[in-house]
């Protein structure tokens, strides 16, 4: 049995009368790519924000990277990386300055930062862009770089909130190659998406609808269970009946 | 500490790569000081005055001649009585009226002093002060010369100065402290509120909030660079004021800078507070300008004396940060007073900064709920 890095028990998040997360229960294992699926407003971003410490739960237990989200938020922050849909690099800083900044914020020494930047740029074939401002780079490159920055300090877990919004299929495919590489290094990847083809790339997926988890498992197992040919069919099949109950 | 240094470096890069930020930080203060400053240092040339000579003796005629041949003044009219004074001032044809009382020369020689007054048109306060100062200077020269010639008798000619229409006219250097008060607070509040809301808008704030940086780190990281640059702005303002307008700093320069830095900190913490309550840059700019520009100009005592306003305004003025700064720096720069006379204002500014910082930290944390 692999080590559990995220454990969520009876997580509830309310905003006034609106229940964004309704008694969520799931576990994420070390080194896996865990996909969080759902329509807009299903509550995936809320859950991700709670797991990454940006928001606190109304009730329930949340354990991330071995720490309790309620009491040890600061320790969690040191052990996770984060990349949101609006990407998080500074346009008026160069590639090198952006990486240096985040490395410093995560407490890496300047010597280590310098050495790792060179490795990273070589690996991404980014050397020619090192001293260019981020603002002038194409979106696909920016996103790849934002992901590299999010895992630059070698976190245990990286949270990605709809990371591939607005880029073309080729850039998306390349982005997923980076995700695979990170997972192969042992970094757990927690990703929300509403691209159903991306769900197929995940080790396990969790489908959310109206604040609840409606299905969880490997893509293959889920497709078999519900007799669907793809995750997309599966998703439409599960989410539709619930939506019509409103 | 290393985390903070990286963050501060990044802020400096933001500032130095953005021409507009640099212009706001350094260009605007200097322009404002020069614009307002020149209002008070217009050269006087051939200014029209009227003379009401009730004595018409040798001394008064001599002095009138002296005034009009100085090149600064031109005699427009000879008045016949006190009733004419208001008429000529109202018509706007002359800037000031010089009055020699009855028996002017006789009094001066026998009693050593005589009655003389200058009545100026106070609708243009700065110009009026200048006119009065010029006339007074000429009169002083005149009486000194007379003293040298006629040894034995001591002349004391002290013209009584009256401002028509605006008796509340104050020190001629009041504009520079006023401009400092309003330029510094607006720039500090505006710059910080923009830089934080920009991070919110571009999504970089999220990345900072999930990082191990604490709310305090982010706030300090935003304040320090602007504190340093505002210090430079402050020195430039003082230097320009001294160089161009010969603004006096009669009190301690160290105290002046210390209090100014406190005021800058107050402006910055206000800016951070504004950024925590606004959603985007436009809102931050709007709140900064609306909440600071008019109150600072109207209620700080910068242009209009608050004492003459209705009670409610007087009370409201105690909420305006620049009021305290203005009182303090006027006391230091113009009256030359020490910390003993400005401690109340200093305390008020400390108190306000603390409140804004605490509120900002609280708002920051609430955002995370």
């Amino acid at each position: 049995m692999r080590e559990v890095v995220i454990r969520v028990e009876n997580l509830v998040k309310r905003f006034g009368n609106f229940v964004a997360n309704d008694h969520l229960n799931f576990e994420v294992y070390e080194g896996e790519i865990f996909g969080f699926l759902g329509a807009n407003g299903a509550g995936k971003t809320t859950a991700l924000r709670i797991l990454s410490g940006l928001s606190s739960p109304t009730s329930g237990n949340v354990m991330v990277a071995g720490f309790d989200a309620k009491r040890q938020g600061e320790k969690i922050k040191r052990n996770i990386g984060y990349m949101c849909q609006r990407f998080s690099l500074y346009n008026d800083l160069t590639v090198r300055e952006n990486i240096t900044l985040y490395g410093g914020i995560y407490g890496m020494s300047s010597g280590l930062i310098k050495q790792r930047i060179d490795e990273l740029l070589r690996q991404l074939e980014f050397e020619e862009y090192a001293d260019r401002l981020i603002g002038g780079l194409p979106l696909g490159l920016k996103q790849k770089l934002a992901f590299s920055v999010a895992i630059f300090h070698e976190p245990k877990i990286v949270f990605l909130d709809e990371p591939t919004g607005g880029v073309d299929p080729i850039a998306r495919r390349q982005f997923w190659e980076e995700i695979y590489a990170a997972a192969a290094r042992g970094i757990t990847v927690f990703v929300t998406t509403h691209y159903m083809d991306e769900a197929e790339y995940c080790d396990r997926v969790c489908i959310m609808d109206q604040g609840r988890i409606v299905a969880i498992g490997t893509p293959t197992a889920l497709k078999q269970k519900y007799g669907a040919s793809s995750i997309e069919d599966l998703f439409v099949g599960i989410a539709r009946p619930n939506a019509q109950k409103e | 500490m290393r985390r903070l240094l990286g963050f501060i470096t990044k802020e400096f890069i933001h500032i130095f790569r953005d021409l507009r930020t640099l212009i706001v930080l350094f260009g605007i203060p200097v322009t404002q000081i020069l614009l307002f400053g020149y209002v008070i240092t217009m050269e006087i040339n051939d200014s029209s005055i009227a003379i009401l000579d009730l004595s018409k003796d040798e001394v008064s005629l001599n002095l009138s001649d002296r005034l009009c041949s100085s090149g600064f003044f031109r005699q427009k009219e000879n008045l016949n009585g006190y009733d004419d004074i208001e008429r000529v001032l109202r018509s706007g044809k002359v800037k000031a009226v010089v009055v020699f009382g009855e028996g002017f020369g006789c009094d001066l020689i026998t009693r050593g002093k005589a009655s003389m007054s200058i009545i100026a048109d106070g609708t243009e306060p700065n110009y009026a002060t200048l006119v009065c100062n010029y006339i007074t200077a000429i009169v002083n020269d005149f009486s000194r010369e007379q003293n040298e010639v006629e040894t034995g008798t001591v002349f004391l000619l002290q013209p009584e100065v009256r401002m028509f229409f605006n008796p509340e006219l104050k020190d001629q250097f009041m504009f520079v402290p006023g401009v400092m008060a309003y330029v510094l607070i607006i720039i500090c509040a505006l710059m910080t509120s923009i830089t934080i809301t920009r991070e919110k808008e571009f999504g970089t704030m999220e990345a900072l909030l999930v990082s191990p940086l604490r709310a305090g780190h982010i706030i300090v990281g935003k304040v320090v660079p602007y504190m340093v640059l505002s210090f430079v702005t402050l020195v430039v303002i003082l230097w320009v004021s001294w160089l161009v307008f010969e603004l006096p700093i009669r009190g301690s320069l160290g105290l002046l800078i210390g209090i100014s830095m406190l005021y800058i900190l107050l402006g910055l913490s206000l800016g951070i507070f504004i950024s925590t309550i606004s959603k985007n840059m436009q809102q931050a700019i709007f709140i900064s300008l609306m909440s600071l520009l008019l109150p600072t100009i109207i209620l700080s005592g910068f242009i209009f004396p608050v004492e003459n306003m209705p009670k409610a305004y007087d009370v409201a003025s105690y909420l305006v940060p620049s009021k305290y700064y203005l009182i303090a720096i006027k006391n230091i720069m113009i009256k030359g007073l020490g910390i003993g006379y400005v401690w109340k204002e200093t305390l008020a500014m400390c108190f306000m900064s603390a409140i804004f910082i605490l509120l900002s930290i609280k708002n920051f944390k609430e955002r995370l709920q």
Side-chain angles (χ1 to χ4, degrees):
Chain A
M1 193 69 190
R2 284 190 291 175
E3 196 193 334
V4 175
V5 290
I6 297 176
R7 176 180 286 126
V8 174
E9 287 166 348
N10 286 317
L11 168 63
V12 177
K13 178 70 178 179
R14 282 199 195 86
F15 296 103
N17 284 327
F18 176 70
V19 183
N21 288 160
D22 189 358
H23 294 89
L24 305 189
N25 286 286
F26 61 88
E27 287 176 347
V28 180
Y29 306 111
E30 186 177 23
E32 85 176 334
I33 301 174
F34 189 81
F36 226 52
L37 271 60
N40 290 329
K44 7 184 238 307
T45 298
T46 307
L48 181 131
R49 288 174 65 88
I50 290 172
L51 292 179
S52 55
L54 277 174
S55 172
S56 55
T58 310
S59 68
N61 292 319
V62 176
M63 192 276 294
V64 178
F67 301 106
D68 180 1
K70 269 184 206 151
R71 288 177 291 110
Q72 298 169 297
E74 292 305 317
K75 286 185 177 149
I76 292 178
K77 286 180 171 183
R78 284 166 205 270
N79 288 292
I80 60 168
Y82 175 89
M83 175 187 167
C84 61
Q85 51 206 106
R86 289 178 308 161
F87 96 153
S88 46
L89 300 174
Y90 292 94
N91 280 327
D92 55 344
L93 264 56
T94 65
V95 171
R96 193 185 295 277
E97 284 162 349
N98 265 294
I99 306 176
T100 310
L101 169 69
Y102 281 104
I105 286 176
Y106 281 91
M108 295 167 67
S109 72
S110 46
L112 183 62
I113 293 174
K114 279 205 187 77
Q115 175 201 335
R116 294 277 296 281
I117 284 179
D118 291 334
E119 283 172 25
L120 177 66
L121 293 176
R122 214 172 19 250
Q123 183 193 323
L124 290 174
E125 293 167 6
F126 253 46
E127 281 122 321
E128 53 176 320
Y129 300 113
D131 296 307
R132 292 250 299 263
L133 296 184
I134 294 282
L137 301 181
L139 189 60
L141 288 188
K142 285 188 202 175
Q143 270 165 330
K144 257 170 96 172
L145 189 65
F147 179 69
S148 304
V149 169
I151 58 168
F152 189 67
H153 59 290
E154 291 288 326
K156 279 193 183 159
I157 308 164
V158 64
F159 292 94
L160 308 173
D161 190 8
E162 292 179 15
T164 54
V167 298
D168 60 73
I170 296 168
R172 259 167 66 194
R173 182 70 235 189
Q174 286 173 344
F175 190 86
W176 273 86
E177 280 163 14
E178 297 296 323
I179 292 181
Y180 278 128
R185 294 215 304 272
I187 297 176
T188 308
V189 180
F190 187 106
V191 55
T192 72
T193 181
H194 51 226
Y195 290 115
M196 293 306 147
D197 56 330
E198 289 188 347
E200 311 268 2
Y201 305 150
C202 298
D203 294 327
R204 279 197 309 146
V205 294
C206 168
I207 300 179
M208 278 193 78
D209 185 53
Q210 292 172 45
R212 291 195 199 89
I213 293 177
V214 289
I216 187 164
T218 63
T220 324
L222 284 181
K223 278 186 283 191
Q224 272 175 3
K225 184 177 168 191
Y226 291 91
S229 60
S230 68
I231 292 287
E232 182 153 4
D233 288 345
L234 170 74
F235 179 74
V236 173
I238 296 174
R240 271 283 160 72
N242 287 320
Q244 282 166 350
K245 269 188 250 163
E246 286 272 301
Chain B
M1 196 59 206
R2 192 182 316 123
R3 300 167 203 274
L4 200 53
L5 278 181
F7 192 74
I8 292 175
T9 314
K10 159 210 155 238
E11 285 301 316
F12 274 114
I13 296 177
H14 283 320
I15 296 167
F16 287 116
R17 290 220 175 121
D18 187 18
L19 186 64
R20 280 172 300 177
T21 308
L22 286 176
I23 289 176
V24 172
L25 266 178
F26 299 110
I28 288 183
V30 173
T31 319
Q32 294 275 355
I33 286 285
L34 290 176
L35 273 180
F36 275 99
Y38 269 113
V39 174
I40 59 173
T41 53
M42 282 182 300
E43 285 292 312
I44 289 208
N45 237 327
D46 239 7
S47 206
S48 299
I49 57 168
I51 289 174
L52 170 59
D53 191 347
L54 298 169
S55 172
K56 292 204 193 304
D57 53 46
E58 197 192 337
V59 186
S60 71
L61 288 175
N62 229 329
L63 187 49
S64 302
D65 255 7
R66 177 66 78 86
L67 283 174
C68 300
S69 61
S70 64
F72 301 122
F73 301 106
R74 185 157 41 96
Q75 186 176 355
K76 193 88 180 174
E77 246 182 285
N78 247 322
L79 307 183
N80 296 317
Y82 283 109
D83 297 342
D84 286 344
I85 295 175
E86 189 163 351
R87 179 183 58 80
V88 288
L89 284 176
R90 223 175 251 292
S91 73
K93 277 186 282 189
V94 303
K95 295 291 174 198
V97 178
V98 178
V99 183
F100 298 104
E102 268 176 69
F104 179 81
C106 190
D107 281 355
L108 200 59
I109 289 162
T110 56
R111 297 199 288 150
K113 58 181 177 183
S115 82
M116 173 186 182
S117 40
I118 304 166
I119 298 162
D121 176 356
T123 47
E124 291 173 58
N126 303 302
Y127 198 78
T129 328
L130 269 185
V131 168
C132 291
N133 287 345
Y134 272 64
I135 295 176
T136 314
I138 294 171
V139 170
N140 286 342
D141 270 358
F142 178 78
S143 61
R144 203 176 318 122
E145 280 167 30
Q146 294 295 316
N147 282 340
E148 281 164 12
V149 174
E150 311 215 356
T151 39
T153 29
V154 177
F155 283 5
L156 184 67
L157 255 183
Q158 193 87 61
E160 179 194 334
V161 176
R162 265 184 71 197
M163 290 294 160
F164 247 52
F165 314 126
N166 180 8
E168 270 290 330
L169 195 73
K170 288 183 180 163
D171 200 291
Q172 71 154 320
F173 289 115
M174 76 179 184
F175 271 96
V176 173
V179 174
M180 279 170 66
Y182 109 93
V183 160
L184 284 177
I185 198 157
I186 285 177
I187 287 185
C188 292
L190 195 63
M191 298 314 293
T192 39
S193 64
I194 290 178
T195 138
I196 295 183
T197 43
R198 183 169 55 191
E199 300 235 11
K200 278 194 206 172
E201 255 180 76
F202 290 171
T204 46
M205 189 51 97
E206 300 250 298
L208 296 178
L209 290 174
V210 292
S211 79
L213 286 177
R214 286 159 193 266
H217 281 137
I218 298 178
I219 289 179
V220 171
K222 288 285 179 190
V223 164
V224 168
Y226 285 98
M227 197 91 180
V228 171
L229 294 174
S230 302
F231 174 74
V232 177
T233 304
L234 173 72
V235 171
V236 170
I237 290 180
L238 287 176
W239 182 68
V240 168
S241 312
W242 173 77
L243 194 76
V244 182
F245 308 119
E246 291 163 6
L247 176 89
I249 299 175
R250 301 200 175 102
S252 135
L253 183 63
L255 183 61
L256 176 64
I257 287 181
I259 286 196
S260 302
M261 291 313 284
L262 175 62
Y263 183 63
I264 286 170
L265 179 68
L266 173 56
L268 295 173
S269 43
L270 180 58
I272 288 175
F273 173 69
I274 291 173
S275 76
T276 62
I277 56 172
S278 33
K279 290 192 182 68
N280 50 43
M281 283 192 269
Q282 282 89 337
Q283 212 176 21
I285 295 172
F286 188 75
I287 296 177
S288 309
L289 291 182
M290 288 307 283
S291 68
L292 289 173
L293 200 57
L294 285 178
T296 302
I297 290 181
I298 294 174
L299 293 178
S300 69
F302 165 27
I303 295 181
F304 312 106
V306 180
E307 304 89 72
N308 298 356
M309 293 182 187
K311 188 78 188 148
Y313 286 77
D314 194 17
V315 173
S317 75
Y318 285 94
L319 297 173
V320 179
S322 38
K323 177 194 176 97
Y324 302 99
Y325 179 62
L326 197 53
I327 294 175
I329 57 168
K330 273 187 179 173
N331 280 345
I332 297 169
M333 290 167 85
I334 294 161
K335 296 190 188 152
L337 301 175
I339 182 78
Y341 292 86
V342 296
W343 66 270
K344 272 189 245 165
E345 286 75 22
T346 312
L347 220 57
M349 287 193 281
C350 287
F351 181 66
M352 284 181 149
S353 312
I355 286 192
F356 285 127
I357 291 175
L358 290 178
L359 282 177
S360 309
I361 292 181
K362 182 173 154 282
N363 283 353
F364 244 93
K365 291 199 169 144
E366 265 169 21
R367 235 177 72 82
L368 301 182
Q369 294 308 303

